[in-house]
């Protein structure tokens, strides 16, 4: 992920999915350092993460922590937001709203990093996590600020929560998923080999997949034409999967040798290779579009399903 990959401007609400604390520390550290002197950051994180972020900021943290960074404990703050077992609007306003509104009066951009939604999700309280995401957005509509949330990558592993996970992504202006070729999450798109995102098979899936793809290619510096071709291929592959596979989908977009892109959509519904041919026979429709745009494409069997892939010479 490049320095500007996660926007810091007021009104943005991004989410970062991460695999390792070291990755999260580098991402949040860069996000906090990318600031103007008048900006103020509010960090709502666990004790362990606060220590890691402070260490990553180093001298910059020591110089600014007194008046430019407000540190809050995510667990303690979340406890104060819960009334009668639910996230309470008045408590949220008293704890978070008042702080954000008072901080924005300084003239700079207020940037908030938060982990409370992840704590709720990990505790199994998914509905509360979604409600809290909504309260953050309501506050941002009233008082614009930049917000970055984070969730561990393990949230992708539960198919029963796939719909809720898509709602999380739809609540944000940008969702960041970055994986290296061996499946390990990395912090910089410029150093990574690709992106991957999992989501349920539903009508909104193609649009979400296009956004993930466009964001990745923009970070990597691909041309508008290449991004348009890739988005079209992704849209057709995901749409085909939505129509023919009733399962969670996994999108992968990898940079291959040179400037070529390898796009793949995996689902858990087996499909005989012979069933693919009718789609190719009708240019301008479905997989026929993929065949026209791509240098090569195909279907490979996968454990418990299949992978439909396409290679684009960008």
């Amino acid at each position: 992920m490049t320095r500007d990959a996660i926007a810091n401007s007021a009104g943005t609400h991004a989410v970062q999915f991460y695999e390792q604390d070291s990755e999260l520390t580098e991402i949040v550290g860069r996000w906090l350092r990318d600031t103007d002197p008048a900006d103020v950051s509010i960090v709502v994180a666990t004790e362990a993460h606060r220590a890691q972020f402070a260490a990553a900021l180093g001298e910059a943290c020591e110089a600014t922590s007194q008046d430019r960074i407000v540190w809050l404990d995510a667990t303690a703050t979340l406890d104060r937001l819960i009334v009668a077992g639910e996230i309470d609007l008045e408590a949220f306003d008293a704890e978070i709203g008042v702080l954000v509104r008072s901080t924005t009066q300084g003239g700079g951009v207020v940037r908030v990093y938060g982990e409370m939604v992840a704590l709720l999700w990990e505790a199994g309280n998914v509905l509360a996590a979604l409600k809290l995401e909504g309260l953050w957005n309501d506050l941002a509509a009233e008082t614009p600020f930049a917000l970055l949330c984070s969730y561990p990558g393990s949230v992708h592993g539960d198919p029963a929560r796939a719909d809720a996970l898509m709602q999380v992504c739809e609540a944000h202006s940008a969702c960041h998923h970055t994986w290296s070729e061996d499946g390990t999450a990395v912090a910089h798109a410029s150093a990574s080999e690709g992106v991957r995102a999992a989501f349920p098979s539903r009508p909104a899936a193609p649009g979400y997949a296009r956004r993930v793809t466009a964001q990745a290619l923009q970070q990597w510096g691909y041309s508008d034409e290449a991004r348009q071709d890739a988005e079209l291929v992704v849209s057709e592959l995901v749409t085909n999967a939505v129509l023919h596979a009733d399962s969670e989908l996994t999108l992968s977009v990898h940079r291959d040798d040179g400037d070529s892109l390898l796009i793949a959509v995996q689902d858990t519904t087996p499909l005989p290779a012979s069933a693919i041919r009718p789609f190719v026979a009708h240019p301008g429709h479905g997989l026929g579009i993929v065949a026209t745009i791509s240098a090569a494409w195909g279907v490979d069997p996968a454990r418990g399903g299949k992978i439909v892939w396409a290679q684009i010479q960008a």
Side-chain angles (χ1 to χ4, degrees), residues 7-301:
N8 278 333
S9 56
T12 58
H13 183 187
V15 59
Q16 174 68 53
F17 296 96
Y18 67 96
E19 295 295 315
Q20 300 176 2
D21 279 0
S22 58
E23 175 208 355
L24 180 68
T25 297
E26 185 168 357
I27 291 171
V28 175
R30 285 175 173 267
W31 191 74
L32 291 174
R33 285 195 298 270
D34 187 13
T35 177
D36 291 328
D39 295 348
V40 177
S41 299
I42 300 172
V43 179
V44 190
T46 63
E47 180 179 2
H49 284 169
R50 294 198 310 276
Q52 292 166 12
F53 300 158
L57 290 171
E59 294 181 0
C61 177
E62 295 177 7
T64 62
S65 60
Q66 295 300 316
D67 56 355
R68 310 317 297 175
I69 302 180
V70 179
W71 301 91
L72 299 177
D73 183 79
T75 302
T77 304
L78 182 60
D79 286 343
R80 292 192 291 272
L81 301 188
I82 298 177
V83 177
E86 296 184 358
I87 298 294
D88 183 77
L89 174 58
E90 292 184 359
F92 176 84
D93 188 69
E95 292 291 330
I96 302 298
V98 171
L99 174 61
V100 171
R101 283 190 289 268
S102 64
T103 306
T104 56
Q105 296 175 5
V109 175
V110 173
R111 298 109 49 72
V112 181
Y113 167 78
E115 297 179 348
M116 293 187 292
V117 286
L119 293 179
L120 288 168
W121 189 286
E122 291 180 321
N125 201 343
V126 175
L127 291 179
L130 294 175
K131 181 176 180 178
L132 185 53
E133 293 283 15
L135 291 179
W136 279 117
N137 282 337
D138 291 343
L139 179 60
E142 172 201 332
T143 306
F145 58 94
L147 176 60
L148 171 62
C149 301
S150 69
Y151 289 81
S154 58
V155 300
H156 291 288
D158 186 355
R161 295 180 178 177
D163 281 321
L165 185 59
M166 178 169 283
Q167 292 180 53
V168 167
C169 289
E170 291 173 345
H172 294 79
S173 58
C175 291
H176 296 269
H177 316 253
T178 53
W179 275 262
S180 65
E181 191 171 6
D182 64 0
T184 303
V186 295
H188 306 288
S190 59
S192 72
E193 296 298 328
V195 297
R196 185 177 63 189
F199 40 89
S201 175
R202 55 184 264 189
Y208 171 57
R210 285 195 301 271
R211 292 195 295 273
V212 171
T213 302
Q215 184 180 60
L217 268 63
Q218 184 175 17
Q219 291 172 15
W220 297 334
Y222 280 88
S223 67
D224 290 342
E225 182 179 359
R227 293 202 299 270
Q228 290 171 4
D229 284 347
E231 286 183 62
L232 184 54
V233 168
V234 164
S235 182
E236 294 300 332
L237 291 181
V238 174
T239 297
N240 182 66
V242 169
L243 291 174
H244 300 286
D246 184 17
S247 70
E248 183 175 1
L249 311 176
T250 301
L251 167 71
S252 299
V253 182
H254 288 274
R255 291 187 290 179
D256 209 338
D257 295 335
D259 292 327
S260 66
L261 292 166
L262 182 61
I263 299 170
V265 174
Q266 182 173 354
D267 60 64
T268 59
T269 303
L271 183 65
S274 59
I276 297 297
R277 296 186 181 277
F279 292 98
V280 183
H282 302 284
H285 299 278
L287 294 181
I289 294 176
V290 175
T292 300
I293 296 176
S294 306
W297 80 281
V299 181
D300 293 335

